[in-house]
Amino acid sequence: MVQAYILIQTDVGKASTVAETICELPGVMQAEDVTGPYDVIVRAQAETVDDLGRMVVAKIQQVDGITRTLTCPVVHL
């Protein structure tokens, strides 16, 4: 299982709606509104890195109001 934090920038005033919508997607463990350079932080998991990439591109980035994402895979050193 691969997990990642996905940092999301949204249009002004859309963070709450984006977080609520993303929370409903399969593989999303948590989505929170935050302050700072990013508006929403998501914790997600998938079977493989490729599956994670497909989730980000095909599902998360398609949510209305998202302007940019940054995916940070969790590593265990």
Side-chain angles (χ1 to χ4, degrees):
M1 190 68 64
V2 177
Q3 294 185 355
Y5 289 96
I6 304 160
L7 312 177
I8 299 172
Q9 292 177 334
T10 69
D11 291 325
V12 174
K14 295 280 190 170
S16 181
T17 304
V18 166
E20 289 174 13
T21 302
I22 290 174
C23 262
E24 303 300 320
L25 297 175
V28 172
M29 302 163 65
Q30 190 173 18
E32 300 283 348
D33 303 16
V34 295
T35 60
Y38 295 93
D39 303 303
V40 176
I41 296 180
V42 173
R43 177 120 185 195
Q45 65 182 12
E47 287 295 322
T48 67
V49 172
D50 289 339
D51 290 339
L52 180 66
R54 281 189 281 278
M55 177 196 316
V56 171
V57 173
K59 296 196 167 111
I60 292 176
Q61 289 182 347
Q62 301 307 311
V63 173
D64 187 48
I66 292 178
T67 58
R68 174 177 276 189
T69 64
L70 175 66
T71 303
C72 304
V74 174
V75 296
H76 302 282
L77 302 175

Short mmCIF file of all heavy atoms in Angstrom, two decimals:
data_model
loop_
_atom_site.label_atom_id
_atom_site.label_comp_id
_atom_site.label_asym_id
_atom_site.label_seq_id
_atom_site.Cartn_x
_atom_site.Cartn_y
_atom_site.Cartn_z
N MET A 1 0.85 -1.18 0.00
CA MET A 1 0.00 0.00 0.00
C MET A 1 0.89 1.24 0.00
O MET A 1 1.85 1.32 0.76
CB MET A 1 -0.89 -0.03 1.25
CG MET A 1 -1.98 0.99 1.28
SD MET A 1 -3.32 0.82 0.11
CE MET A 1 -4.07 -0.71 0.56
N VAL A 2 0.59 2.19 -0.86
CA VAL A 2 1.31 3.45 -0.97
C VAL A 2 0.42 4.55 -0.41
O VAL A 2 -0.76 4.63 -0.74
CB VAL A 2 1.66 3.76 -2.45
CG1 VAL A 2 2.35 5.09 -2.57
CG2 VAL A 2 2.49 2.65 -3.04
N GLN A 3 1.00 5.41 0.44
CA GLN A 3 0.27 6.54 0.97
C GLN A 3 0.97 7.82 0.57
O GLN A 3 2.18 7.83 0.33
CB GLN A 3 0.16 6.46 2.49
CG GLN A 3 -0.67 5.30 2.97
CD GLN A 3 -0.87 5.33 4.47
OE1 GLN A 3 -0.33 6.16 5.18
NE2 GLN A 3 -1.68 4.40 4.95
N ALA A 4 0.19 8.91 0.49
CA ALA A 4 0.77 10.20 0.12
C ALA A 4 -0.05 11.33 0.72
O ALA A 4 -1.25 11.17 1.00
CB ALA A 4 0.80 10.35 -1.40
N TYR A 5 0.62 12.45 0.91
CA TYR A 5 -0.07 13.70 1.21
C TYR A 5 -0.18 14.45 -0.10
O TYR A 5 0.79 14.52 -0.86
CB TYR A 5 0.72 14.53 2.23
CG TYR A 5 0.69 13.93 3.61
CD1 TYR A 5 1.72 13.13 4.06
CD2 TYR A 5 -0.39 14.15 4.45
CE1 TYR A 5 1.70 12.56 5.32
CE2 TYR A 5 -0.43 13.60 5.72
CZ TYR A 5 0.61 12.80 6.15
OH TYR A 5 0.57 12.24 7.40
N ILE A 6 -1.34 14.99 -0.37
CA ILE A 6 -1.55 15.77 -1.59
C ILE A 6 -1.90 17.19 -1.16
O ILE A 6 -2.90 17.41 -0.47
CB ILE A 6 -2.67 15.15 -2.44
CG1 ILE A 6 -2.33 13.68 -2.76
CG2 ILE A 6 -2.88 15.95 -3.73
CD1 ILE A 6 -3.50 12.85 -3.16
N LEU A 7 -1.03 18.12 -1.52
CA LEU A 7 -1.21 19.53 -1.17
C LEU A 7 -1.94 20.19 -2.33
O LEU A 7 -1.54 20.05 -3.49
CB LEU A 7 0.14 20.18 -0.93
CG LEU A 7 1.10 19.41 -0.02
CD1 LEU A 7 2.44 20.13 0.09
CD2 LEU A 7 0.50 19.19 1.35
N ILE A 8 -3.01 20.92 -2.01
CA ILE A 8 -3.89 21.44 -3.05
C ILE A 8 -4.07 22.95 -2.90
O ILE A 8 -4.35 23.43 -1.80
CB ILE A 8 -5.26 20.75 -2.99
CG1 ILE A 8 -5.10 19.25 -3.23
CG2 ILE A 8 -6.23 21.36 -4.00
CD1 ILE A 8 -6.36 18.45 -3.01
N GLN A 9 -3.93 23.65 -4.00
CA GLN A 9 -4.30 25.06 -4.07
C GLN A 9 -5.64 25.14 -4.79
O GLN A 9 -5.88 24.41 -5.76
CB GLN A 9 -3.25 25.87 -4.82
CG GLN A 9 -1.94 25.95 -4.06
CD GLN A 9 -0.85 26.69 -4.83
OE1 GLN A 9 -0.86 26.74 -6.04
NE2 GLN A 9 0.07 27.27 -4.10
N THR A 10 -6.51 26.04 -4.30
CA THR A 10 -7.85 26.18 -4.87
C THR A 10 -8.13 27.61 -5.27
O THR A 10 -7.40 28.53 -4.88
CB THR A 10 -8.95 25.74 -3.87
OG1 THR A 10 -9.00 26.69 -2.80
CG2 THR A 10 -8.69 24.35 -3.32
N ASP A 11 -9.21 27.79 -6.02
CA ASP A 11 -9.71 29.13 -6.26
C ASP A 11 -10.13 29.74 -4.93
O ASP A 11 -10.49 29.01 -3.99
CB ASP A 11 -10.93 29.10 -7.20
CG ASP A 11 -10.57 28.68 -8.61
OD1 ASP A 11 -9.47 29.03 -9.08
OD2 ASP A 11 -11.40 27.99 -9.24
N VAL A 12 -10.13 31.05 -4.83
CA VAL A 12 -10.53 31.75 -3.61
C VAL A 12 -11.95 31.33 -3.22
O VAL A 12 -12.85 31.31 -4.05
CB VAL A 12 -10.45 33.28 -3.80
CG1 VAL A 12 -11.00 34.01 -2.59
CG2 VAL A 12 -9.01 33.69 -4.08
N GLY A 13 -12.11 30.96 -1.95
CA GLY A 13 -13.42 30.61 -1.43
C GLY A 13 -13.87 29.19 -1.72
O GLY A 13 -14.99 28.81 -1.38
N LYS A 14 -13.03 28.37 -2.34
CA LYS A 14 -13.43 27.01 -2.73
C LYS A 14 -12.84 25.91 -1.85
O LYS A 14 -13.18 24.74 -2.02
CB LYS A 14 -13.00 26.74 -4.18
CG LYS A 14 -13.68 27.60 -5.20
CD LYS A 14 -15.04 27.06 -5.49
CE LYS A 14 -15.64 27.76 -6.69
NZ LYS A 14 -16.83 27.12 -7.15
N ALA A 15 -11.98 26.23 -0.91
CA ALA A 15 -11.27 25.21 -0.13
C ALA A 15 -12.22 24.25 0.58
O ALA A 15 -12.04 23.03 0.52
CB ALA A 15 -10.31 25.85 0.87
N SER A 16 -13.22 24.77 1.24
CA SER A 16 -14.14 23.93 1.99
C SER A 16 -14.90 22.97 1.09
O SER A 16 -15.02 21.77 1.38
CB SER A 16 -15.11 24.80 2.78
OG SER A 16 -15.98 24.01 3.53
N THR A 17 -15.39 23.47 -0.02
CA THR A 17 -16.14 22.65 -0.98
C THR A 17 -15.23 21.58 -1.58
O THR A 17 -15.64 20.42 -1.72
CB THR A 17 -16.73 23.52 -2.10
OG1 THR A 17 -17.54 24.53 -1.50
CG2 THR A 17 -17.55 22.70 -3.07
N VAL A 18 -14.01 21.96 -1.93
CA VAL A 18 -13.05 21.00 -2.50
C VAL A 18 -12.75 19.89 -1.49
O VAL A 18 -12.78 18.71 -1.82
CB VAL A 18 -11.75 21.72 -2.94
CG1 VAL A 18 -10.63 20.74 -3.20
CG2 VAL A 18 -12.01 22.58 -4.17
N ALA A 19 -12.49 20.25 -0.23
CA ALA A 19 -12.18 19.25 0.80
C ALA A 19 -13.36 18.30 1.00
O ALA A 19 -13.17 17.08 1.09
CB ALA A 19 -11.82 19.94 2.11
N GLU A 20 -14.57 18.82 1.05
CA GLU A 20 -15.76 17.98 1.23
C GLU A 20 -15.93 17.00 0.07
O GLU A 20 -16.24 15.83 0.27
CB GLU A 20 -17.01 18.84 1.36
CG GLU A 20 -17.10 19.59 2.67
CD GLU A 20 -18.27 20.55 2.72
OE1 GLU A 20 -19.16 20.49 1.84
OE2 GLU A 20 -18.29 21.39 3.64
N THR A 21 -15.71 17.49 -1.15
CA THR A 21 -15.86 16.64 -2.34
C THR A 21 -14.80 15.55 -2.36
O THR A 21 -15.10 14.37 -2.63
CB THR A 21 -15.76 17.50 -3.62
OG1 THR A 21 -16.78 18.50 -3.58
CG2 THR A 21 -15.93 16.65 -4.87
N ILE A 22 -13.56 15.91 -2.07
CA ILE A 22 -12.46 14.95 -2.10
C ILE A 22 -12.61 13.88 -1.02
O ILE A 22 -12.26 12.72 -1.23
CB ILE A 22 -11.10 15.68 -2.00
CG1 ILE A 22 -10.85 16.44 -3.30
CG2 ILE A 22 -9.97 14.70 -1.73
CD1 ILE A 22 -9.63 17.31 -3.27
N CYS A 23 -13.17 14.24 0.12
CA CYS A 23 -13.38 13.27 1.22
C CYS A 23 -14.19 12.07 0.77
O CYS A 23 -14.05 10.98 1.32
CB CYS A 23 -14.09 13.95 2.38
SG CYS A 23 -12.99 14.48 3.66
N GLU A 24 -15.04 12.24 -0.22
CA GLU A 24 -15.93 11.17 -0.68
C GLU A 24 -15.27 10.23 -1.68
O GLU A 24 -15.84 9.19 -2.01
CB GLU A 24 -17.18 11.79 -1.34
CG GLU A 24 -17.96 12.72 -0.42
CD GLU A 24 -18.46 12.04 0.84
OE1 GLU A 24 -18.91 10.87 0.73
OE2 GLU A 24 -18.38 12.63 1.92
N LEU A 25 -14.08 10.57 -2.17
CA LEU A 25 -13.42 9.74 -3.19
C LEU A 25 -12.81 8.49 -2.57
O LEU A 25 -12.24 8.54 -1.48
CB LEU A 25 -12.33 10.55 -3.90
CG LEU A 25 -12.79 11.77 -4.69
CD1 LEU A 25 -11.58 12.52 -5.23
CD2 LEU A 25 -13.72 11.36 -5.81
N PRO A 26 -12.90 7.35 -3.28
CA PRO A 26 -12.26 6.13 -2.79
C PRO A 26 -10.75 6.32 -2.67
O PRO A 26 -10.12 6.91 -3.54
CB PRO A 26 -12.58 5.09 -3.87
CG PRO A 26 -13.66 5.68 -4.70
CD PRO A 26 -13.59 7.16 -4.54
N GLY A 27 -10.17 5.83 -1.58
CA GLY A 27 -8.74 5.94 -1.36
C GLY A 27 -8.34 7.16 -0.55
O GLY A 27 -7.21 7.24 -0.09
N VAL A 28 -9.25 8.09 -0.37
CA VAL A 28 -8.94 9.29 0.42
C VAL A 28 -9.21 8.98 1.89
O VAL A 28 -10.31 8.58 2.26
CB VAL A 28 -9.76 10.51 -0.06
CG1 VAL A 28 -9.57 11.68 0.90
CG2 VAL A 28 -9.35 10.89 -1.47
N MET A 29 -8.20 9.14 2.71
CA MET A 29 -8.31 8.87 4.13
C MET A 29 -8.77 10.10 4.90
O MET A 29 -9.48 10.00 5.89
CB MET A 29 -6.96 8.38 4.67
CG MET A 29 -6.45 7.14 3.95
SD MET A 29 -4.69 6.84 4.21
CE MET A 29 -4.64 6.52 5.95
N GLN A 30 -8.32 11.28 4.45
CA GLN A 30 -8.62 12.52 5.15
C GLN A 30 -8.40 13.68 4.20
O GLN A 30 -7.51 13.65 3.36
CB GLN A 30 -7.67 12.63 6.35
CG GLN A 30 -7.96 13.71 7.32
CD GLN A 30 -7.05 13.61 8.54
OE1 GLN A 30 -6.02 12.94 8.51
NE2 GLN A 30 -7.42 14.28 9.60
N ALA A 31 -9.21 14.73 4.34
CA ALA A 31 -9.02 15.97 3.58
C ALA A 31 -9.37 17.12 4.52
O ALA A 31 -10.46 17.15 5.09
CB ALA A 31 -9.91 15.99 2.35
N GLU A 32 -8.44 18.04 4.69
CA GLU A 32 -8.61 19.14 5.64
C GLU A 32 -8.33 20.48 4.99
O GLU A 32 -7.39 20.61 4.20
CB GLU A 32 -7.64 18.97 6.81
CG GLU A 32 -7.80 17.70 7.61
CD GLU A 32 -8.97 17.73 8.56
OE1 GLU A 32 -9.56 18.80 8.78
OE2 GLU A 32 -9.31 16.65 9.07
N ASP A 33 -9.14 21.49 5.33
CA ASP A 33 -8.84 22.88 4.95
C ASP A 33 -7.69 23.35 5.84
O ASP A 33 -7.68 23.04 7.03
CB ASP A 33 -10.02 23.81 5.25
CG ASP A 33 -11.31 23.41 4.58
OD1 ASP A 33 -11.42 22.28 4.11
OD2 ASP A 33 -12.21 24.26 4.54
N VAL A 34 -6.74 24.06 5.26
CA VAL A 34 -5.61 24.58 6.03
C VAL A 34 -5.32 26.02 5.59
O VAL A 34 -5.84 26.48 4.57
CB VAL A 34 -4.34 23.72 5.86
CG1 VAL A 34 -4.54 22.32 6.43
CG2 VAL A 34 -3.91 23.64 4.41
N THR A 35 -4.48 26.71 6.35
CA THR A 35 -4.04 28.03 5.95
C THR A 35 -2.59 27.93 5.48
O THR A 35 -1.91 26.96 5.77
CB THR A 35 -4.13 29.04 7.12
OG1 THR A 35 -3.30 28.58 8.19
CG2 THR A 35 -5.56 29.18 7.60
N GLY A 36 -2.14 28.93 4.76
CA GLY A 36 -0.77 28.93 4.24
C GLY A 36 -0.78 28.88 2.73
O GLY A 36 -1.78 29.20 2.10
N PRO A 37 0.32 28.43 2.14
CA PRO A 37 0.41 28.43 0.68
C PRO A 37 -0.51 27.42 0.01
O PRO A 37 -0.81 27.53 -1.17
CB PRO A 37 1.88 28.11 0.39
CG PRO A 37 2.39 27.47 1.63
CD PRO A 37 1.57 28.02 2.77
N TYR A 38 -0.97 26.42 0.76
CA TYR A 38 -1.92 25.45 0.23
C TYR A 38 -3.23 25.60 0.99
O TYR A 38 -3.25 26.04 2.13
CB TYR A 38 -1.38 24.02 0.34
CG TYR A 38 -0.17 23.83 -0.54
CD1 TYR A 38 1.12 24.02 -0.05
CD2 TYR A 38 -0.32 23.55 -1.89
CE1 TYR A 38 2.22 23.90 -0.87
CE2 TYR A 38 0.78 23.43 -2.73
CZ TYR A 38 2.04 23.62 -2.21
OH TYR A 38 3.14 23.51 -3.04
N ASP A 39 -4.32 25.24 0.33
CA ASP A 39 -5.65 25.44 0.90
C ASP A 39 -6.26 24.16 1.47
O ASP A 39 -7.08 24.21 2.38
CB ASP A 39 -6.59 26.01 -0.18
CG ASP A 39 -6.03 27.29 -0.76
OD1 ASP A 39 -5.79 28.23 0.01
OD2 ASP A 39 -5.83 27.35 -1.99
N VAL A 40 -5.87 23.02 0.92
CA VAL A 40 -6.38 21.72 1.36
C VAL A 40 -5.21 20.74 1.39
O VAL A 40 -4.38 20.75 0.48
CB VAL A 40 -7.48 21.18 0.40
CG1 VAL A 40 -7.95 19.80 0.81
CG2 VAL A 40 -8.65 22.15 0.33
N ILE A 41 -5.16 19.91 2.44
CA ILE A 41 -4.19 18.81 2.49
C ILE A 41 -4.97 17.52 2.60
O ILE A 41 -5.87 17.38 3.43
CB ILE A 41 -3.22 18.96 3.67
CG1 ILE A 41 -2.37 20.22 3.49
CG2 ILE A 41 -2.32 17.72 3.77
CD1 ILE A 41 -1.37 20.46 4.60
N VAL A 42 -4.60 16.58 1.72
CA VAL A 42 -5.29 15.29 1.63
C VAL A 42 -4.31 14.18 1.98
O VAL A 42 -3.14 14.23 1.57
CB VAL A 42 -5.83 15.07 0.20
CG1 VAL A 42 -6.41 13.68 0.02
CG2 VAL A 42 -6.85 16.15 -0.15
N ARG A 43 -4.78 13.18 2.72
CA ARG A 43 -4.00 11.95 2.91
C ARG A 43 -4.74 10.88 2.15
O ARG A 43 -5.93 10.66 2.36
CB ARG A 43 -3.90 11.60 4.39
CG ARG A 43 -3.17 10.29 4.62
CD ARG A 43 -1.96 10.46 5.45
NE ARG A 43 -1.24 9.19 5.56
CZ ARG A 43 -0.31 8.98 6.44
NH1 ARG A 43 0.02 9.92 7.28
NH2 ARG A 43 0.31 7.83 6.48
N ALA A 44 -4.02 10.21 1.24
CA ALA A 44 -4.66 9.21 0.38
C ALA A 44 -3.79 7.96 0.33
O ALA A 44 -2.60 8.00 0.64
CB ALA A 44 -4.84 9.77 -1.02
N GLN A 45 -4.41 6.86 -0.08
CA GLN A 45 -3.66 5.62 -0.25
C GLN A 45 -4.16 4.87 -1.48
O GLN A 45 -5.30 5.02 -1.90
CB GLN A 45 -3.78 4.72 0.98
CG GLN A 45 -5.17 4.22 1.27
CD GLN A 45 -5.20 3.38 2.54
OE1 GLN A 45 -4.25 3.36 3.31
NE2 GLN A 45 -6.30 2.71 2.76
N ALA A 46 -3.26 4.07 -2.04
CA ALA A 46 -3.58 3.25 -3.21
C ALA A 46 -2.68 2.02 -3.17
O ALA A 46 -1.69 1.99 -2.44
CB ALA A 46 -3.37 4.04 -4.50
N GLU A 47 -3.01 1.04 -3.98
CA GLU A 47 -2.23 -0.20 -4.01
C GLU A 47 -0.81 0.01 -4.53
O GLU A 47 0.14 -0.56 -4.01
CB GLU A 47 -2.94 -1.25 -4.87
CG GLU A 47 -4.16 -1.83 -4.21
CD GLU A 47 -3.85 -2.64 -2.95
OE1 GLU A 47 -2.83 -3.35 -2.92
OE2 GLU A 47 -4.63 -2.52 -1.99
N THR A 48 -0.65 0.84 -5.58
CA THR A 48 0.66 1.07 -6.19
C THR A 48 0.85 2.56 -6.44
O THR A 48 -0.11 3.34 -6.40
CB THR A 48 0.79 0.33 -7.53
OG1 THR A 48 -0.11 0.92 -8.48
CG2 THR A 48 0.51 -1.16 -7.40
N VAL A 49 2.08 2.94 -6.76
CA VAL A 49 2.36 4.34 -7.12
C VAL A 49 1.58 4.72 -8.38
O VAL A 49 1.07 5.84 -8.48
CB VAL A 49 3.88 4.55 -7.32
CG1 VAL A 49 4.18 5.93 -7.88
CG2 VAL A 49 4.63 4.34 -6.01
N ASP A 50 1.48 3.81 -9.33
CA ASP A 50 0.72 4.08 -10.55
C ASP A 50 -0.75 4.32 -10.24
O ASP A 50 -1.37 5.23 -10.78
CB ASP A 50 0.85 2.94 -11.55
CG ASP A 50 2.24 2.87 -12.17
OD1 ASP A 50 2.97 3.89 -12.15
OD2 ASP A 50 2.61 1.79 -12.68
N ASP A 51 -1.32 3.51 -9.34
CA ASP A 51 -2.72 3.71 -8.94
C ASP A 51 -2.90 5.06 -8.25
O ASP A 51 -3.89 5.76 -8.47
CB ASP A 51 -3.19 2.60 -8.00
CG ASP A 51 -3.33 1.26 -8.70
OD1 ASP A 51 -3.45 1.23 -9.94
OD2 ASP A 51 -3.31 0.23 -7.99
N LEU A 52 -1.93 5.43 -7.44
CA LEU A 52 -1.98 6.73 -6.76
C LEU A 52 -1.95 7.86 -7.80
O LEU A 52 -2.73 8.81 -7.72
CB LEU A 52 -0.81 6.87 -5.79
CG LEU A 52 -0.74 8.17 -5.01
CD1 LEU A 52 -1.92 8.30 -4.05
CD2 LEU A 52 0.57 8.26 -4.25
N GLY A 53 -1.07 7.75 -8.77
CA GLY A 53 -1.00 8.75 -9.83
C GLY A 53 -2.30 8.87 -10.60
O GLY A 53 -2.76 9.97 -10.89
N ARG A 54 -2.90 7.72 -10.92
CA ARG A 54 -4.19 7.75 -11.62
C ARG A 54 -5.27 8.41 -10.77
O ARG A 54 -6.10 9.15 -11.28
CB ARG A 54 -4.60 6.33 -12.01
CG ARG A 54 -3.88 5.82 -13.25
CD ARG A 54 -4.48 4.51 -13.74
NE ARG A 54 -4.03 3.37 -12.96
CZ ARG A 54 -2.87 2.74 -13.15
NH1 ARG A 54 -2.04 3.16 -14.09
NH2 ARG A 54 -2.54 1.71 -12.40
N MET A 55 -5.26 8.15 -9.46
CA MET A 55 -6.24 8.77 -8.58
C MET A 55 -6.10 10.29 -8.60
O MET A 55 -7.08 11.02 -8.71
CB MET A 55 -6.07 8.28 -7.13
CG MET A 55 -7.01 8.96 -6.15
SD MET A 55 -6.59 8.78 -4.39
CE MET A 55 -6.17 7.08 -4.25
N VAL A 56 -4.86 10.76 -8.52
CA VAL A 56 -4.63 12.20 -8.50
C VAL A 56 -5.06 12.84 -9.81
O VAL A 56 -5.80 13.83 -9.83
CB VAL A 56 -3.14 12.52 -8.19
CG1 VAL A 56 -2.85 14.00 -8.38
CG2 VAL A 56 -2.79 12.08 -6.77
N VAL A 57 -4.63 12.27 -10.92
CA VAL A 57 -4.92 12.87 -12.22
C VAL A 57 -6.38 12.70 -12.65
O VAL A 57 -7.01 13.65 -13.11
CB VAL A 57 -3.97 12.29 -13.30
CG1 VAL A 57 -4.36 12.76 -14.69
CG2 VAL A 57 -2.53 12.68 -13.00
N ALA A 58 -6.92 11.51 -12.47
CA ALA A 58 -8.26 11.22 -12.99
C ALA A 58 -9.39 11.61 -12.04
O ALA A 58 -10.51 11.82 -12.49
CB ALA A 58 -8.37 9.74 -13.34
N LYS A 59 -9.10 11.68 -10.75
CA LYS A 59 -10.18 11.97 -9.81
C LYS A 59 -9.98 13.29 -9.06
O LYS A 59 -10.82 14.17 -9.11
CB LYS A 59 -10.32 10.81 -8.82
CG LYS A 59 -10.74 9.54 -9.53
CD LYS A 59 -11.25 8.52 -8.57
CE LYS A 59 -11.95 7.44 -9.33
NZ LYS A 59 -11.39 6.18 -9.40
N ILE A 60 -8.87 13.42 -8.36
CA ILE A 60 -8.67 14.60 -7.53
C ILE A 60 -8.52 15.86 -8.37
O ILE A 60 -9.19 16.86 -8.10
CB ILE A 60 -7.47 14.40 -6.57
CG1 ILE A 60 -7.84 13.31 -5.55
CG2 ILE A 60 -7.09 15.70 -5.89
CD1 ILE A 60 -6.74 12.92 -4.60
N GLN A 61 -7.68 15.84 -9.39
CA GLN A 61 -7.48 17.05 -10.19
C GLN A 61 -8.72 17.45 -10.99
O GLN A 61 -8.79 18.58 -11.47
CB GLN A 61 -6.29 16.89 -11.14
CG GLN A 61 -4.97 16.90 -10.40
CD GLN A 61 -3.78 16.78 -11.33
OE1 GLN A 61 -3.92 16.46 -12.51
NE2 GLN A 61 -2.60 17.02 -10.79
N GLN A 62 -9.68 16.57 -11.10
CA GLN A 62 -10.91 16.90 -11.84
C GLN A 62 -11.95 17.61 -10.97
O GLN A 62 -12.96 18.08 -11.49
CB GLN A 62 -11.51 15.62 -12.42
CG GLN A 62 -10.58 14.88 -13.37
CD GLN A 62 -10.04 15.77 -14.49
OE1 GLN A 62 -10.80 16.48 -15.13
NE2 GLN A 62 -8.74 15.75 -14.69
N VAL A 63 -11.70 17.72 -9.67
CA VAL A 63 -12.64 18.40 -8.77
C VAL A 63 -12.65 19.89 -9.09
O VAL A 63 -11.60 20.52 -9.20
CB VAL A 63 -12.27 18.15 -7.29
CG1 VAL A 63 -13.12 18.99 -6.36
CG2 VAL A 63 -12.41 16.67 -6.96
N ASP A 64 -13.84 20.44 -9.26
CA ASP A 64 -14.00 21.86 -9.59
C ASP A 64 -13.41 22.73 -8.50
O ASP A 64 -13.66 22.51 -7.31
CB ASP A 64 -15.49 22.16 -9.77
CG ASP A 64 -15.71 23.58 -10.27
OD1 ASP A 64 -15.04 23.99 -11.24
OD2 ASP A 64 -16.55 24.29 -9.67
N GLY A 65 -12.63 23.72 -8.89
CA GLY A 65 -12.05 24.67 -7.95
C GLY A 65 -10.58 24.46 -7.65
O GLY A 65 -9.94 25.31 -7.05
N ILE A 66 -10.03 23.33 -8.07
CA ILE A 66 -8.60 23.06 -7.84
C ILE A 66 -7.77 23.73 -8.93
O ILE A 66 -8.06 23.62 -10.11
CB ILE A 66 -8.32 21.55 -7.82
CG1 ILE A 66 -8.97 20.92 -6.60
CG2 ILE A 66 -6.82 21.26 -7.85
CD1 ILE A 66 -8.79 19.42 -6.50
N THR A 67 -6.71 24.43 -8.50
CA THR A 67 -5.83 25.09 -9.46
C THR A 67 -4.48 24.39 -9.58
O THR A 67 -3.83 24.47 -10.61
CB THR A 67 -5.60 26.57 -9.09
OG1 THR A 67 -5.04 26.64 -7.78
CG2 THR A 67 -6.91 27.34 -9.14
N ARG A 68 -4.04 23.70 -8.49
CA ARG A 68 -2.73 23.04 -8.52
C ARG A 68 -2.66 21.99 -7.43
O ARG A 68 -3.23 22.16 -6.36
CB ARG A 68 -1.64 24.08 -8.31
CG ARG A 68 -0.25 23.50 -8.17
CD ARG A 68 0.77 24.57 -8.04
NE ARG A 68 1.07 25.00 -9.41
CZ ARG A 68 2.04 25.82 -9.72
NH1 ARG A 68 2.78 26.36 -8.80
NH2 ARG A 68 2.27 26.12 -10.98
N THR A 69 -1.94 20.90 -7.72
CA THR A 69 -1.70 19.87 -6.71
C THR A 69 -0.21 19.55 -6.63
O THR A 69 0.53 19.73 -7.61
CB THR A 69 -2.46 18.56 -7.01
OG1 THR A 69 -1.96 17.99 -8.22
CG2 THR A 69 -3.96 18.79 -7.11
N LEU A 70 0.21 19.10 -5.46
CA LEU A 70 1.57 18.61 -5.25
C LEU A 70 1.46 17.32 -4.45
O LEU A 70 0.95 17.34 -3.33
CB LEU A 70 2.41 19.64 -4.49
CG LEU A 70 3.82 19.22 -4.09
CD1 LEU A 70 4.69 19.01 -5.32
CD2 LEU A 70 4.44 20.27 -3.19
N THR A 71 1.91 16.21 -5.02
CA THR A 71 1.78 14.91 -4.37
C THR A 71 3.10 14.55 -3.69
O THR A 71 4.16 14.57 -4.31
CB THR A 71 1.41 13.83 -5.40
OG1 THR A 71 0.20 14.21 -6.03
CG2 THR A 71 1.23 12.47 -4.72
N CYS A 72 3.03 14.23 -2.40
CA CYS A 72 4.19 13.90 -1.59
C CYS A 72 4.05 12.49 -1.03
O CYS A 72 3.39 12.29 0.01
CB CYS A 72 4.33 14.89 -0.43
SG CYS A 72 4.40 16.61 -0.92
N PRO A 73 4.60 11.48 -1.70
CA PRO A 73 4.48 10.11 -1.21
C PRO A 73 5.17 9.95 0.15
O PRO A 73 6.21 10.55 0.41
CB PRO A 73 5.22 9.27 -2.26
CG PRO A 73 5.25 10.14 -3.48
CD PRO A 73 5.31 11.55 -2.98
N VAL A 74 4.57 9.14 1.00
CA VAL A 74 5.14 8.82 2.31
C VAL A 74 6.23 7.79 2.09
O VAL A 74 6.02 6.79 1.40
CB VAL A 74 4.05 8.29 3.26
CG1 VAL A 74 4.66 7.82 4.57
CG2 VAL A 74 2.99 9.34 3.51
N VAL A 75 7.39 8.00 2.70
CA VAL A 75 8.49 7.04 2.61
C VAL A 75 8.85 6.57 4.03
O VAL A 75 8.68 7.29 4.99
CB VAL A 75 9.76 7.63 1.93
CG1 VAL A 75 9.46 7.97 0.49
CG2 VAL A 75 10.27 8.84 2.67
N HIS A 76 9.31 5.36 4.11
CA HIS A 76 9.72 4.80 5.41
C HIS A 76 11.21 4.51 5.33
O HIS A 76 11.63 3.56 4.68
CB HIS A 76 8.92 3.52 5.71
CG HIS A 76 7.45 3.76 5.72
ND1 HIS A 76 6.80 4.33 6.78
CD2 HIS A 76 6.51 3.52 4.79
CE1 HIS A 76 5.52 4.43 6.52
NE2 HIS A 76 5.30 3.96 5.31
N LEU A 77 12.01 5.37 5.95
CA LEU A 77 13.46 5.25 5.88
C LEU A 77 14.01 4.42 7.02
O LEU A 77 13.48 4.34 8.06
CB LEU A 77 14.10 6.64 5.90
CG LEU A 77 13.62 7.57 4.77
CD1 LEU A 77 14.21 8.95 4.97
CD2 LEU A 77 14.03 7.00 3.44
#
